[in-house]
Amino acid sequence: MAGDFPAGRPAWQAAGARFVADVRPHEQRKLWLLNGGHSLLAYAGGARGHETVADAVSDPACRAELERWWDEAARHLPLPAAEVAEYRAALLERWSNRRIRHRLEQIAMDGWQKIPVRILPVLRLERGAGRLPPGAVHALAAWVRHLRGGASSARAVLARLDPALAEDRDLVTAVTAAV
């Protein structure tokens, strides 16, 4: 059983570790806010000529897209709003540090594996709630552009991710327009 320590559990909480009954919300928070935010900045920031996360997050246009994405994702995190806000603030502080040269080009790699777990879960939840989420739409559009795709390729990219997405006319229209 996880958490069984025959000689007693180390005092990790003394160093700030938290023990929770269900780790899934925290995994979702990391995937959607940290990783999803990184992907969005990689594609949107790269298109604007930025090289690092710090460059992209300091760009008001990229920052607005990031905040929009985070707002959408946060709606679906079963965590206290204050905890999510604190996490977002910590990410911004870390990502604004220009001494950390986290290159957008590196983050942008392997989007076919990353987008399905970082962006699509929130997109599906938003569509299920009857909303067309601009943050997710713009993240997908930025990725389509990164793939060197044009507006005409948006539907094909969505179909490769999930055929059901390509059948969502409103989504295809929105991503196509944003590309």
Side-chain angles (χ1 to χ4, degrees), residues 6 13 17 19-20 33 43-44 50-51 53 61 67 78 83 86 106 111 118-119 121 130 142 148-149 163:
Q13 67 277 8
F19 294 91
V20 296
L33 301 184
Y43 303 126
H50 300 304
E51 293 183 14
V53 169
E67 294 286 353
E83 184 178 327
E86 184 179 304
Q106 177 188 11
R118 296 177 176 188
I119 305 295
R148 308 267 191 271

Side-chain angles (χ1 to χ4, degrees), residues 54-77:
D55 295 337
V57 83
S58 69
D59 177 328
C62 291
R63 175 72 175 273
E65 291 297 330
L66 176 65
E67 294 286 353
R68 188 173 302 133
W69 162 249
W70 279 352
D71 289 345
E72 292 165 8
R75 274 196 283 270
H76 303 285
L77 289 172

